[in-house]
């Protein structure tokens, strides 16, 4: 082992090696990499257990005993509160920063009152600015649309700004009175202190780095188009500016490989076409004309809505993976799109596919392509066998209902 290892108060560092990040921001994966995991709340422990079992099986299937993941448990949410007496221990951030790659289950966020979202805090504190969510259909997976195979998109959702920044004041508080008075005095805006107020920051640097990441992905994956999705007709200086800055990136930095629609009249030749769409019509067109869309770059809240809407078209959030990535520091945190689904907690019932597919993204990112392919192939075969969890079972004719853990075993059997 080359690099020195920190010691933590609660986190046990396993035998293994740190994943270093190269100058290109990509991981240089050793044969026994230490990878952090957060089990998560609600259904988190069930889906993590099923996923970890399968990840270990797939790595052994591909590499025998020459490669193996050294899993390192890190704490956040309810388990962190039990183990560390704190929902969001500082050493969790330290461990992810030091070991660079981690995967997590969902974490609970109270609505209206209580602490801020731990998921949002993790993304912001680690500056994981790109939330990457591929959405594609697997044969045999039940879908509410006629032609789910037409959906093959990857969403790049800005992850650190927008209304998610958490700059909000509660109606009726001295803070709301103060902000309303300031806005009235400085801008002539008629607001009362009995109004909840929030800020929507969208910066040039934040928008440009996200669009840059989407374009680089489109180039690497040989995709045909990037669509900037925004609500810039209404929010001109935030959403509208996101669109403007996006096109500036195309023209200033990528003109050899990409071209804006306005600069080629919709005929990009062999370059990547960059177009834009207003968020509301986009939500219609992903249903009516999904083939028009490929890579999507969008602001934070739009990206949240779009991820779930698109996931529904290919089988729901039980099968929607994701990654939160900073392409400069190389820190990446993989996680499912869905939440903690508390009513299904500890029932060994839900679909672990979202977390398994987040693992597929992680193994691709680590350069363990064989594992990613083995997992994808085995998942596809298992859906084809109609051996599925309750969410798919209720929509499939003649399917076999499996528990969460049984589904993982069935996939392992198809490796
Ligand atoms: P949710 O995604 O947890 O669940 C909504 C519904 O989707 C569930 O009732 C269930 O029917 C279905 N579902 C979700 N995951 C599934 C799976 N793996 N298999 C099958 N069906 C599944 O959304 P919610 O109920 O709005 O949120 C619950 C909690 O999760 C909240 O505290 C919320 O803040 C949190 N949340 C966390 C994350 C995250 O950790 N990244 C993301 C979204 C929501």
């Amino acid at each position: 082992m080359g690099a020195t290892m920190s010691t933590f108060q609660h986190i046990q560092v396993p035998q293994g090696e740190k994943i270093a990040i190269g100058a290109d921001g990509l991981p240089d994966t050793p044969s026994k990499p230490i990878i952090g995991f957060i089990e998560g709340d609600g259904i988190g422990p069930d889906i993590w257990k099923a996923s970890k079992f399968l990840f270990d099986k797939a790595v052994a299937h591909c590499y025998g005993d020459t490669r193996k993941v050294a899993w390192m448990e890190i704490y956040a949410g309810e388990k962190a509160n039990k183990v560390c007496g704190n929902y969001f221990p500082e050493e969790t951030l330290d461990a992810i920063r030091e070991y660079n790659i981690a995967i997590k289950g969902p974490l609970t966020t109270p609505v209206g009152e209580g602490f801020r979202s731990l998921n949002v805090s993790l993304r912001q504190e680690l500056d994981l600015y790109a939330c990457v969510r591929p959405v594609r259909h697997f044969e045999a997976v039940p879908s509410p649309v006629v032609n789910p195979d037409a959906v093959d998109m990857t969403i790049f959702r800005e992850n650190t700004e927008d209304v998610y920044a958490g700059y909000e004041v509660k109606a009726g508080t001295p803070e709301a009175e103060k902000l309303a008075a300031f806005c009235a005095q400085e801008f002539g805006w008629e607001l009362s202190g009995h109004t909840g107020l929030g800020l929507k920051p969208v910066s040039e640097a934040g928008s440009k780095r996200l669009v840059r990441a989407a374009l680089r992905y489109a180039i690497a994956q040989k995709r045909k188009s990037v669509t900037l999705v925004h609500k810039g007709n209404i929010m001109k200086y935030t959403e509208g500016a996101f669109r403007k800055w996006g096109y500036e990136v195309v023209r200033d930095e990528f003109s050899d490989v990409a071209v804006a629609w306005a600069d080629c009249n919709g005929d990009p030749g062999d370059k990547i076409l960059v177009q834009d769409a207003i968020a509301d019509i986009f939500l219609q067109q992903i249903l009516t004309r999904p083939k028009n869309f490929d890579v999507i770059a969008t602001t934070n809240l739009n990206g949240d809505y779009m991820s779930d809407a698109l996931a529904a078209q290919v089988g729901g959030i039980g099968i929607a993976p994701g990654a939160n990535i900073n392409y400069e520091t190389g820190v990446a945190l993989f996680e499912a799109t869905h939440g903690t689904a508390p009513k299904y907690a500890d029932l060994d019932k839900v679909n672990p596919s979202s977390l398994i597919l987040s693992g597929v993204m992680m193994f691709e990112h680590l350069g363990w392509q064989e594992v990613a392919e083995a997992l994808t192939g085995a998942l596809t075969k298992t859906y084809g066998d109609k051996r599925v969890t309750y969410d798919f079972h209720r929509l499939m004719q003649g399917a076999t209902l499996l528990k969460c853990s049984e589904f993982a075993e069935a996939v392992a059997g198809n490796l």
Side-chain angles (χ1 to χ4, degrees), residues 173-296:
T173 59
E175 290 80 9
E177 297 282 359
K178 203 169 165 183
L179 185 55
F182 175 81
C183 292
Q185 189 177 328
E186 297 297 325
F187 298 97
W189 295 347
E190 284 180 31
L191 293 166
S192 112
H194 292 279
T195 311
L197 296 172
L199 283 180
K200 178 182 170 78
V202 174
S203 72
E204 178 174 354
S207 302
K208 285 189 166 176
R209 66 180 178 172
L210 188 270
V211 173
R212 219 173 267 132
L215 277 160
R216 287 190 183 131
Y217 174 92
I219 296 163
Q221 302 291 322
K222 301 192 177 3
R223 308 295 290 238
K224 290 198 162 34
S225 73
V226 175
T227 305
L228 309 172
V229 183
H230 59 87
K231 189 71 186 166
N233 52 336
I234 304 301
M235 293 168 272
K236 297 180 193 301
Y237 305 125
T238 50
E239 299 269 327
F242 175 83
R243 169 184 178 273
K244 171 174 136 354
W245 290 321
Y247 280 128
E248 280 177 14
V249 170
V250 180
R251 293 186 179 116
D252 296 346
E253 302 173 32
F254 290 86
S255 59
D256 53 334
V257 282
V259 60
W261 179 288
D263 298 338
C264 68
N265 211 8
D267 180 8
D270 55 7
K271 291 185 178 176
I272 294 165
L273 178 67
V274 183
Q275 56 191 350
D276 72 278
I278 292 177
D280 43 311
I281 194 67
F282 175 80
L283 284 170
Q284 174 178 302
Q285 289 182 343
I286 52 174
L287 280 165
T288 55
R289 287 194 264 152
K291 277 193 182 294
N292 283 10
F293 303 106
D294 196 342
V295 177
I296 312 301

Side-chain angles (χ1 to χ4, degrees), residues 135-137 141-153 283-290 308-316 395:
V135 190
R136 56 159 281 212
H137 183 241
V141 168
S143 151
V145 300
V146 179
N147 188 8
D149 290 323
V151 177
D152 184 4
M153 302 180 206
L283 284 170
Q284 174 178 302
Q285 289 182 343
I286 52 174
L287 280 165
T288 55
R289 287 194 264 152
D308 282 25
L310 269 170
Q313 287 182 230
V314 296
L395 302 170

